[in-house]
Amino acid sequence: IGQSQKKNIFAQNNSGCARFNFVKKTTRHNILDVALSVFSHRGVIHTTMDDVAKASGYGRRTLYTYFKNRDELFEEVIFKERKVIIGKLNTVIGLNAPTNIKMENIMLVHMNVIEDLVNRNESLRQEFIKRNDRIDYYRSEIDNHEKYCIEFILNEGSTNGTYTLADPQTTASIILSSLKGLEKMFILEGFGTPAIETLKLFNNIILKGIETP
């Protein structure tokens, strides 16, 4: 085989691998999107791999090629959702904006995320209201990152003179715990204008106390 033929074969193999990887990635992505919808409507406990297979249009064999069981599939769905939420939090701390505006935005992102989740998923709504332990388990990574973002903003504010506080880490924990404490009330009230007004009041009570005079 000549050198040019070898190069053509190599190029064709690379092209074939690229197409295969693209199809594989697209299939996985599609399955996760459909699974999210099925989990949202039926709840995790009442969803089977057969349900997801039928809804996605892929066969059971294809589904099990990518995911060992329902629990692994659900974990992957949660992981994908987490990435989106963490991305939103990172966008806020990267804003070219005053520190107090960043803090207000972090609080808004927190509540908007909860509103979006419970509006798309009735079973998740009920679990949030009941403060199900499973919710705390799945959201722990998000909570940790949100606490990091709040602490980051507090440290920024302490450095630029916006805030006066001795312990940003503990303050961040208090702010996050307080936000989580408002979730049930907001869910029951349906969010909207009352929730926004309550959030503004919360912002004034919590943050005015640490603002530099």
Side-chain angles (χ1 to χ4, degrees):
I1 299 176
Q3 192 66 29
S4 61
Q5 287 179 303
K6 288 181 179 179
K7 287 181 179 179
N8 286 337
I9 293 172
F10 180 74
Q12 289 171 2
N13 286 340
N14 281 345
S15 176
C17 288
R19 282 196 300 271
F20 174 76
N21 287 334
F22 175 76
V23 170
K24 189 174 180 180
K25 186 175 181 180
T26 302
T27 301
R28 184 183 183 86
H29 179 79
N30 290 341
I31 291 172
L32 288 173
D33 280 348
V34 172
L36 173 61
S37 177
V38 176
F39 285 135
S40 296
H41 285 93
R42 296 178 62 89
V44 180
I45 296 175
H46 302 294
T47 298
T48 66
M49 291 292 272
D50 281 344
D51 294 328
V52 178
K54 289 174 184 175
S56 66
Y58 296 108
R60 280 169 51 87
R61 179 178 294 180
T62 300
L63 204 62
Y64 280 103
T65 297
Y66 292 90
F67 308 99
K68 290 187 297 185
N69 51 47
R70 183 196 64 186
D71 291 341
E72 184 180 274
L73 176 58
F74 183 65
E75 288 280 353
E76 287 292 324
V77 169
I78 293 295
F79 177 75
K80 186 178 178 182
E81 288 282 287
R82 274 200 300 250
K83 283 179 65 177
V84 173
I85 296 169
I86 287 173
K88 291 178 180 179
L89 293 169
N90 287 340
T91 297
V92 173
I93 64 173
L95 288 174
N96 182 20
T99 305
N100 60 333
I101 298 300
K102 289 184 181 181
M103 187 64 78
E104 289 176 11
N105 273 279
I106 280 286
M107 294 180 181
L108 284 173
V109 166
H110 180 106
M111 288 306 168
N112 287 339
V113 163
I114 301 300
E115 181 179 12
D116 178 58
L117 287 173
V118 300
N119 283 345
R120 286 191 285 122
N121 191 328
E122 176 58 29
S123 63
L124 198 59
R125 180 179 186 274
Q126 295 303 320
E127 291 191 23
F128 264 102
I129 292 173
K130 296 174 184 175
R131 297 302 303 167
N132 193 303
D133 289 341
R134 190 164 57 130
I135 291 293
D136 290 329
Y137 169 75
Y138 284 119
R139 71 182 290 180
S140 60
E141 186 176 334
I142 297 171
D143 286 346
N144 290 336
H145 190 75
E146 186 173 2
K147 180 177 176 293
Y148 160 80
C149 291
I150 294 172
E151 189 176 342
F152 179 93
I153 295 171
L154 290 173
N155 280 317
E156 178 186 281
S158 183
T159 300
N160 64 28
T162 302
Y163 302 131
T164 301
L165 66 165
D167 190 346
Q169 186 175 24
T170 301
T171 305
S173 295
I174 292 170
I175 291 173
L176 179 58
S177 295
S178 301
L179 279 172
K180 290 173 70 174
L182 291 171
E183 291 170 359
K184 180 177 178 179
M185 180 179 72
F186 285 176
I187 292 170
L188 292 173
E189 291 180 351
F191 294 91
T193 302
I196 293 173
E197 292 303 315
T198 301
L199 205 56
K200 288 180 180 177
L201 178 61
F202 171 83
N203 183 42
N204 286 333
I205 293 172
I206 297 293
L207 298 182
K208 292 299 181 184
I210 62 173
E211 283 186 359
T212 303

